[in-house]
């Protein structure tokens, strides 16, 4: 179609999302409706504690499997664009673009340090001790999950087998767009969020020199990216013949500069037209909206850990299977059963959880934090498991409230939450976010918002829309709005005070144990 005009029916876009455990793809039309979906698991290795690795060849092969599946039976000439998103894992290739090992075993198949890898703890401490001004752009303190500490770890630990041979260090989304187009340009999203790049000033030479990675400055950042494009920009000449054959798509279709996976989820929900829903964000700048992508990092790991480790889990699993329900759907109905006349959230009056079992990324950026539970009893039956699950869900929502308060202290003004991702399908999780933050929660019509976001990128690259904003408004739709139950506000305010005390106490305990 002409930019801004009416599209011909039958324009399609493919979105590919590389998550922690699987690759997913969708065929999406110009209204943002998913027409086909496929997923494929990907391999993960954990050779030692805190080391998490993947294979770029395995991931690309999975991308090919799912993309071929979603375009089966359609006229591929109607596909106008392709967009990728992925976790911000670190991909290492040599000067000929071949995989290099990121492990002591020298296994070059395993050439990705995953986003959740915490091997570079001493390196990130040293980086934070520099107090360099670029740290202000990542919240004042750098997380161990960012790329600079991981790069420094490779230089200090795998000098001969990896560092000296390396030709390219890619964020995983940028690896995928390179694989599809042969263009090594990086997305502004990846470099700003995980690599300390500044949209205004570019790379800061003094930072890389100060932390001991002056190598990058010397060759004008060729290995980590010296051509940077905004997400949705069209790359090179589109899909290469080789990649087209791999993916089952026509050569030359537009391929977009990619996004980090959570950001693609944001793109898929945050621009929706909210008129007629009575929301404070209507007619306000998009900055009054906060997108929350409920994936592995924000929630699943903590909830799974609490539920699966409980003595009553085998009983729960059997009962849920007998009802053909997920364990979480069963727990939600069990909570309704035991709450009696009171609101369900009040069941945790004596049970409180701090959910940072894998450290805190935001807003505290403290990888030393651990999970905490206070209020345990001797009984370990299904009721206890259900209430512990509820307390964990509430803890994740309190974590969201803490992030919102940090953002508001920095000058943001947020009125409405937009949720997507796996746990946005859980009504208890959604209601707790509304009640605990005191804000309405918008759920998109299309549950797979991350894939819609990736497809929106492809739509932008195709030229079918004049801007990302226009594509978002056309392709993301409101499905449902969940409002907070304001009568429960006083209870959650008190629980939130306890939540903040938990982390305060944890820091005090650590200080006591470190003291002489």
């Amino acid at each position: 179609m002409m930019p801004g005009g009416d599209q011909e029916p039958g324009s399609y876009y493919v979105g590919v999302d590389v998550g922690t455990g699987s690759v997913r793809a969708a065929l999406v039309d110009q209204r943002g409706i998913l027409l086909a979906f496929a997923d494929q698991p990907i391999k993960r290795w954990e050779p030692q504690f805190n080391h998490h690795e993947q294979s770029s060849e395995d991931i690309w092969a999975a991308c090919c499997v799912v993309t071929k599946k979603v375009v089966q039976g359609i006229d591929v000439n109607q596909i106008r664009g392709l967009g990728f998103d992925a976790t911000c894992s670190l991909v290492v290739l040599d000067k000929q673009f071949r995989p290099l090992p990121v492990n002591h075993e020298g296994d070059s198949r395993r050439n990705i340090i995953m986003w959740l890898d915490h091997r570079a703890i001493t390196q990130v401490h040293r980086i934070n001790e520099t107090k360099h001004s670029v740290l202000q752009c990542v919240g004042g303190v750098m997380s161990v999950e960012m790329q600079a500490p991981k790069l420094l770890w490779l230089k200090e630990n795998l000098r001969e087998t990896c560092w000296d041979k390396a030709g390219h260090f890619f964020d995983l989304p940028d690896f995928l767009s390179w694989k599809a187009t042969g263009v090594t340009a990086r997305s502004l999203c990846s470099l700003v969020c995980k690599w300390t790049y500044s949209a205004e000033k570019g790379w800061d030479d003094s930072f890389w020199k100060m932390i001991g990675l002056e190598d990058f400055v010397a060759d004008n950042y060729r290995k980590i990216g010296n051509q940077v494009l905004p997400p949705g920009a069209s790359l090179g000449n589109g899909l290469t013949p080789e990649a087209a054959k791999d993916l089952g798509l026509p050569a030359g279709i537009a391929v977009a500069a990619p996004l980090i996976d959570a950001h693609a989820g944001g793109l898929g929900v945050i621009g929706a037209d909210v008129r007629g829903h009575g929301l404070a964000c209507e007619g306000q700048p998009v900055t009054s909206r906060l997108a929350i992508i409920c994936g592995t990092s924000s929630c699943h790991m903590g909830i799974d850990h609490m539920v699966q480790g409980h003595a009553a889990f085998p009983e729960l699993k059997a009962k849920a299977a007998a009802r053909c329900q997920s364990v979480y759907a069963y727990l939600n109905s069990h909570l309704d059963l035991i709450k009696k006349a009171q609101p369900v959230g009040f069941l945790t009056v004596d049970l409180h959880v701090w959910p940072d079992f894998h450290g805190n990324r935001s807003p505290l950026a403290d990888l030393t934090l651990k999970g905490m539970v206070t209020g345990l009893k001797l009984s370990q039956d299904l009721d206890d498991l259900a209430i512990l699950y509820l307390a964990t869900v509430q803890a994740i929502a309190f974590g969201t409230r803490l992030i919102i308060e940090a953002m508001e202290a920095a000058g943001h003004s947020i009125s409405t939450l937009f949720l997507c991702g796996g746990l946005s399908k859980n009504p208890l999780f959604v209601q707790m976010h509304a009640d605990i933050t005191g804000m309405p929660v918008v759920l998109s019509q299309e549950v797979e918002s991350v894939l819609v976001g990736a497809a929106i990128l492809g739509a932008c690259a195709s030229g079918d829309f004049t801007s990302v904003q226009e594509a978002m408004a056309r392709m993301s739709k409101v499905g449902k709005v969940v409002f907070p139950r304001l009568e429960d506000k006083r209870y959650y305010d008190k629980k939130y005070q306890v939540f903040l005390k938990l982390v305060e106490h944890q820091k005090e305990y650590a200080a006591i144990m470190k003291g002489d």
Side-chain angles (χ1 to χ4, degrees):
M1 76 167 204
M2 295 304 291
D6 288 327
Q7 273 162 304
E8 290 299 311
S11 291
Y12 301 130
Y13 313 100
V14 173
V16 178
D17 164 49
V18 179
T20 302
S22 67
V23 176
R24 296 146 8 105
L27 182 71
V28 179
D29 71 11
Q30 64 267 36
R31 296 162 301 165
I33 294 167
L34 253 75
L35 305 174
F37 169 87
D39 63 346
Q40 175 83 0
I42 48 180
K43 294 190 187 89
R44 282 173 63 177
W45 289 268
E46 191 179 353
Q48 61 194 84
F49 179 65
N50 271 340
H51 289 232
H52 298 267
E53 296 165 7
Q54 286 181 319
S55 155
S56 64
E57 289 184 347
D58 175 58
I59 287 172
W60 180 252
C63 291
C64 299
V65 169
V66 291
T67 305
K68 281 177 176 159
K69 277 186 185 165
V70 297
V71 300
Q72 260 172 9
I74 68 144
D75 176 2
V76 290
N77 295 310
Q78 291 177 293
I79 297 169
R80 303 269 303 140
L82 170 64
F84 291 98
D85 73 78
T87 62
C88 28
S89 299
L90 177 65
V91 184
V92 187
L93 305 176
D94 70 12
K95 292 168 183 70
Q96 285 76 45
F97 295 95
R98 293 175 306 212
L100 281 171
V102 295
N103 47 72
H104 293 294
E105 295 80 17
D107 181 352
S108 60
R109 278 178 318 153
R110 290 153 39 203
N111 67 318
I112 296 178
I113 299 181
M114 287 182 71
W115 64 269
L116 52 69
D117 186 293
H118 283 192
R119 69 182 65 182
I121 289 171
T122 62
Q123 287 76 15
V124 82
H125 280 320
R126 296 205 307 271
I127 290 169
N128 285 325
E129 279 166 6
T130 67
K131 301 272 195 290
H132 193 283
S133 59
V134 300
L135 298 177
Q136 292 312 308
C137 301
V138 295
V141 183
M142 185 174 281
S143 158
V144 69
E145 292 175 4
M146 293 183 76
Q147 307 300 19
K150 290 172 179 171
L151 292 162
L152 191 53
W153 186 93
L154 289 171
K155 182 175 181 178
E156 292 175 353
N157 291 274
L158 299 176
R159 185 96 197 211
E160 288 173 17
T161 55
C162 179
W163 184 260
D164 289 344
K165 294 178 180 174
H168 308 272
F169 298 100
F170 282 105
D171 219 76
L172 182 52
D174 296 317
F175 164 81
L176 297 169
S177 58
W178 163 74
K179 194 81 175 149
T181 63
V183 175
T184 59
R186 307 305 204 269
S187 167
L188 191 62
C189 173
S190 315
L191 293 196
V192 168
C193 294
K194 294 288 167 177
W195 296 72
T196 74
Y197 186 84
S198 161
E200 290 82 33
K201 301 174 193 161
W203 295 113
D204 188 317
D205 295 355
S206 66
F207 170 71
W208 297 101
K209 288 173 182 169
M210 189 180 276
I211 67 167
L213 291 176
E214 60 288 334
D215 327 40
F216 294 141
V217 185
D219 75 347
N220 191 30
Y221 300 98
R222 191 177 51 79
K223 289 182 183 176
I224 60 171
N226 52 19
Q227 188 196 353
V228 187
L229 294 170
S234 184
L235 291 169
N237 299 315
L239 201 59
T240 64
E242 187 188 355
K245 192 163 159 261
D246 285 351
L247 296 164
L249 296 171
I253 64 164
V255 179
L259 279 172
I260 294 168
D261 53 352
H263 297 240
L267 202 62
V269 292
I270 210 164
D273 182 350
V274 297
R275 283 176 298 187
H277 292 279
L279 293 168
C281 65
E282 186 182 325
Q284 295 299 309
V286 76
T287 48
S288 67
R289 308 178 180 196
L290 182 67
I292 300 173
I293 289 67
C294 317
T296 314
S297 49
S298 71
C299 343
H300 284 286
M301 283 159 67
I303 294 176
D304 286 349
H305 177 71
M306 292 301 257
V307 170
Q308 292 170 10
H310 196 278
F313 180 65
E315 182 193 347
L316 166 67
K317 213 171 160 188
K319 285 186 167 170
R323 275 204 213 160
C324 299
Q325 280 185 314
S326 75
V327 289
Y328 299 117
Y330 188 94
L331 285 169
N332 290 352
S333 55
H334 192 77
L335 285 166
D336 280 334
L337 205 66
I338 62 177
K339 73 180 173 72
K340 306 209 166 56
Q342 63 181 343
V344 71
F346 287 37
L347 286 167
T348 58
V349 66
D350 297 321
L351 187 69
H352 310 281
V353 172
W354 179 269
D356 289 330
F357 301 97
H358 197 55
N360 179 285
R361 188 198 299 171
S362 184
L364 306 175
D366 185 345
L367 61 94
T368 67
L369 289 176
K370 310 284 189 291
M372 294 174 82
V373 184
T374 174
L376 293 171
K377 300 182 298 190
L378 276 175
S379 61
Q380 282 196 304
D381 59 15
L382 201 49
D383 290 5
D384 294 304
L385 170 49
I387 294 167
L388 183 62
Y389 154 73
L390 171 62
T392 307
V393 168
Q394 290 173 337
I396 291 162
F398 285 125
T400 300
R401 179 166 165 175
L402 185 62
I403 291 169
I404 292 167
E405 288 185 359
M407 290 177 75
E408 289 182 336
H412 294 271
S413 177
I414 291 157
S415 65
T416 313
L417 305 184
F418 287 69
L419 253 65
C420 71
L423 272 165
S424 67
K425 300 170 199 172
N426 182 330
L428 179 78
F429 185 88
V430 174
Q431 189 66 58
M432 285 300 134
H433 266 79
D435 294 350
I436 283 168
T437 63
M439 292 182 190
V441 174
V442 176
L443 300 173
S444 57
Q445 191 176 309
E446 185 47 70
V447 178
E448 299 293 352
S449 303
V450 177
L451 284 165
V452 172
I456 285 172
L457 292 173
C460 292
S462 74
D464 285 352
F465 296 96
T466 51
S467 64
V468 171
Q469 287 79 359
E470 189 200 346
M472 276 163 55
R474 290 275 206 94
M475 293 175 71
S476 54
K477 309 268 190 310
V478 174
K480 184 182 177 190
V481 180
V482 176
F483 289 93
R485 291 176 293 215
L486 297 174
E487 63 273 19
D488 300 347
K489 180 181 185 303
R490 194 161 163 268
Y491 172 77
Y492 289 117
D493 285 348
K494 287 198 266 188
K495 285 247 343 161
Y496 185 55
Q497 287 174 356
V498 176
F499 180 77
L500 297 176
K501 282 272 184 235
L502 287 176
V503 70
E504 217 176 277
H505 288 165
Q506 187 175 152
K507 288 176 176 173
E508 284 171 16
Y509 305 154
I512 290 166
M513 296 311 292
K514 272 185 195 154
D516 297 329

